[in-house]
Amino acid sequence: MVRRRSTLAERPAALAHHFDDMAQQYEASHLGMWVFLLTEIMFFGGLFTGYAVYRSTYAVAFAEGSHHLDIVLGSINTAVLISSSLTMALSVHAAQVGRRQLLVGFLLLTMLLGLVFLGIKTVEYVHKFEQHLVPGGAFRYEGPYARQVQIFMAFYFSMTGLHALHMIIGIGVLTVLVWLAWRDRFSPTYFAPIEVAGLYWHFVDIVWIFLFPLLYLIGRH
Amino acid sequence: MLSDLPLFPQQASTGAMRVDALFMFLMAVSIFFAALIFFLVLYFAIKYRRRSEAEQPRPIRSDLRLEVLWTLIPLGLTMIMFVWGANLYFTMATPPADALEISVVGKQWMWKFQHPEGQREIDELHVPVGRPVKLTMASEDVIHSFFVPAFRVKMDVVPGRYTATWFEATKPGTFHLFCAQYCGTVHAGMGGRVIVMTPTAYEAWLSGGATGESPVAGGERLFQQLGCSTCHRSDGTGVGPALVGLFGQTVRLQSGETVLADEAYIRESVLNPTAKIVAGYQPLMPTFQGLISEEGLLQLIAYIRSLGGGKTGRQS
Amino acid sequence: MNTAVMPREHYLNVNYGITSWLLTTDHKRIALLYLASITLLFFVGGAAAVLMRLELLTPQGDLVQSETYNQLFTMHGVIMIFFFLIPSIPAVLGNFLVPLMLGARDLAFPRLNLLSWYIFILGALFTLTAVVTGGVDTGWTFYTPYSSTYANTHVILTALGIFITGFSSILTGLNFIVTIHTMRAPGLTWFRLPLFIWGLYATSLIMVLGTPVLAIAIVLVALERAFRIGIFDPALGGDPVLFQHLFWFYSHPAVYIMILPAMGVISELITCFARKRIFGYNFIAFSSVAIAVLGFFVWGHHMFVSSQSVYASMVFSFMSMLVAIPSAIKVFNWTATLYKGSIAYETPMLYVFGFLGLFTIGGLTGLFLATLAVDVHVHDTYFVIAHFHYIMVGGAIMGYLGGLHFWWPKITGRMYPEGWGKLAALVIFVGFNLTFFPQFVLGYLGMPRRYHFYPAEFQVLHVMSSAGASILGVGYIIPLVYFIWSLRYGAVAGPNPWGAKGLEWQTSAPPPTDNFTQTPTVTEEAYAYGSQEVHVG
């Protein structure tokens, strides 16, 4: 699409100097986030591929490994994360209609839910450590499938660990946005950063929605 | 010095001649197109060199007929290369049924060979001319690659599985054997020789010199030593399945799947028994990982094959 | 008689001081930061090559120990691929030219651009630390289980360096994609774009989609080394060949990251120095995208003898034949562009001629490797080494040097010395062929790769190759010297010394920080040579 260059002397404060107008900046920031999410799909995709290969090779062992994960905590976390996506969407809406306090409130709520998720995850990780299920030198497992269960746990930790890292980064980003929102930087004419952060947050949520059944729900009905 | 300059490798196998024929076709096509491009670029560069700054060439945007032509011709030629190459590759991956079977174990940084009659060799492989030879190969550590340039044969040797290749030597002589997959410090030194002999010379070599026990005998010895016979009784009354007649059959597993009882299956069953449980049996077999070497595994497999079995089995 | 003068204020003199460079968000300055970094790293990787070729003069391993030699070829590969070739044209020429060619003031995300450079430097520091503290000896391909279990060199450090630098690549690609989509000047439709932009767009698709998979593969190797998990260790139930799939899934498309930008450069240069429109614009543009897409489906051609299934190998061989076709189409179209042109022989055009010849040879020898039964013989031999050096050095580096010479006057406002330019191009061409052509012969004879010492019958060919390498090395040093010389003493170039079309030539040289005093509007197709001037205003 060919853009008409704006030659207006007055440029909004939120318009970066290299863009012609807010519409171009908005389009660029959104496309940028979508492309970034595409790279993230490929990033997680590598781990998912490795997981798929080993799950098909060691189906029984993977099911056994999966049974050692805490399905209750995992389910709670799933609900927590889905709720956080709701609050994130609500914060985007608040930004679009210029409701500053609502925006800050929903962002904080999203962050809080994210922290709850990470807290529960930490509890799970500690449990696994106590059960000697962390791969490596301290891994202890009785039964004929010990080696394969270790591989399962390796994928569990790397996939959920990578996911958790993305959550931490997401919470960091939201912290910055809360600060900016509190300082009244967003308005109905400038809210792209909130939307774009929302895209990222929803993506991280969707990754979990794949992780949860693949890791926690093998062989359970 | 120039007489020391080799330009083309010897052809010492039936496969070599076929690979070289395909190579020559590729060379011909490449030389043709390289020459064509070189000539055209040079010719145009000289004929249309700029003679004055005021020159304004006429724009020629495209010509669909030319585009189609130089798309379809390369496509056609590459498809010939593909089909020819795939066909030959398939043959190279399919050893003849009557091949002489030799097992190979690669490890940092040597090659160990075991003839069915019992001879063992290190870094040297004696084979008869005019007879297909199939190599079943395993690695004790990292990935290596068995490469004999004169035969145009190469196959990676991968830890954790068996790979196989075959060749039929066409003339006596001594030929380089190289490791062709980087495997650590002395990768360059992991070489040796393949010595092709006339049939009579080969027989003489086989019967002369120290012979070790045959792989079948070695396998039988291991079968007793490691206690396999305790559970795998030949009358089938043991806790584990009987192995007589197993090799080459399809086995039904607990999961409902069926699997072919080949070399890889037996190897896995010894090292990782719980991976595939035979239907009707319990996962009781302990692992022998660390208790048996790759060569030992190959001997065990030879023994189990000798107990009879399907089409790939061999009577001892 | 040269009456050109330097503009009074431009991006180089608008402010001085180290922080104005290290904290710049000007894409042009960032391009120069990359130029300095990758040039340094090129000579480090080149030094490793010099030592290797010296060692290979004699059949015995008598110059260095085997451990050292194995580290040398590993570092040569790692540095040249990840720290020179992959960034080269995109991060130097791309960063400088993409906004200019689009008529924009900067890339879409200038601060992300600077961050990309810092990430690149961080990754380079990790890897150089590994070099200095004992090196890595796994080969740049890091095959397991050698790299994950057996090697006792700095695998994790190097792997981390590559992992980090990969993000630099991803962010650069992201920046280019968004810029090309959203910041084109009025009138600059997709099919009026310079083919250099098409090439970088296709390259960016690969950078963005492929690099993350390499990142995971490397992370898994590092985890395996650190925690002995068993993902690639057969003794623990792992599959060493899985690594090869994950690795080559990126590393094959990576080679197209290295060549597509160079192909883009060739389209720019050949039209200018034949003073003619490109023949088959649409075909070249679509071929770039086709190479990027098809390139993701051929990775298994590195694994024909790895114990991969025969049927999988056939599929990969077939796809590899297909991916060759768009490259052939491009070579024919470039050749046809010369027909009835008005051809000048300045240095950039000499690099174009060199590219056409050497890329053709490199591409044709790729067919040998794609052909199953032949690849069995030449896989992991010097034939492969010769093939990829013809493409990456004879192709990509020639494209890079040609582009550097072509746009040097725009970047610096100065001309390089033309006589020396021609001489260096010739020396490089001769040195290159003498170095690498004998390696085709060596490979078919059976000389394996990565060998510290070798049977005596291969020596003559190795000596020829090493002699060529010494000439090639000199050939690379000559431009380093005269480019630096030209910064001070080169003739002032003026905005368009070549009379070239393209928006980048419509502004001063060096350009002002914001690139254009007045945003151009585009009314013509690309390479509108032989017709009226592009309308500016």
Side-chain angles (χ1 to χ4, degrees), chain B residues 256-280:
Chain B
E257 297 169 61
T258 54
V259 71
L260 175 67
D262 59 5
E263 288 96 337
Y265 171 72
I266 295 178
R267 184 177 183 282
E268 185 183 35
S269 301
V270 173
L271 296 179
N272 189 10
T274 52
K276 295 182 172 63
I277 311 287
V278 177

Side-chain angles (χ1 to χ4, degrees), chain A residues 1-5 11 16-20 24 27-29 31-33 35-36 38-40 42-47 49-50 53-54 58 135-137 147-148 150-151 154-155 158 162, chain C residues 103 105-110 163 167 170 174 177-178 181-187 189 208-209 212-213 215-216 220 223 227-232 235-239 242 246 249 514 519:
Chain A
M1 136 187 169
V2 177
R3 186 173 300 286
R4 192 94 293 267
R5 286 281 156 94
R11 293 169 62 93
H17 91 282
H18 56 285
F19 287 117
D20 296 321
Q24 189 184 54
E27 192 189 347
S29 62
L31 181 58
M33 180 50 75
V35 173
F36 177 67
L38 204 57
T39 76
E40 294 278 68
M42 298 306 289
F43 198 39
F44 278 96
L47 277 177
T49 303
V53 167
Y54 282 114
Y58 298 130
R147 277 188 276 143
Q148 294 90 320
Q150 183 173 212
I151 294 181
F155 276 102
S158 40
L162 189 63
Chain C
R105 286 190 282 292
D106 207 314
L107 290 176
F109 307 115
F163 177 81
F167 289 103
I170 291 173
L174 189 156
I177 290 174
V178 176
H181 270 281
T182 62
M183 295 174 75
R184 299 188 308 276
T189 57
V208 150
L209 294 174
V213 180
I216 288 293
L220 288 175
L223 287 177
F227 298 111
R228 287 186 313 282
I229 301 169
I231 296 181
F232 300 126
L236 295 174
D239 180 357
L242 175 63
L246 290 172
F249 184 83
D514 273 350
T519 302

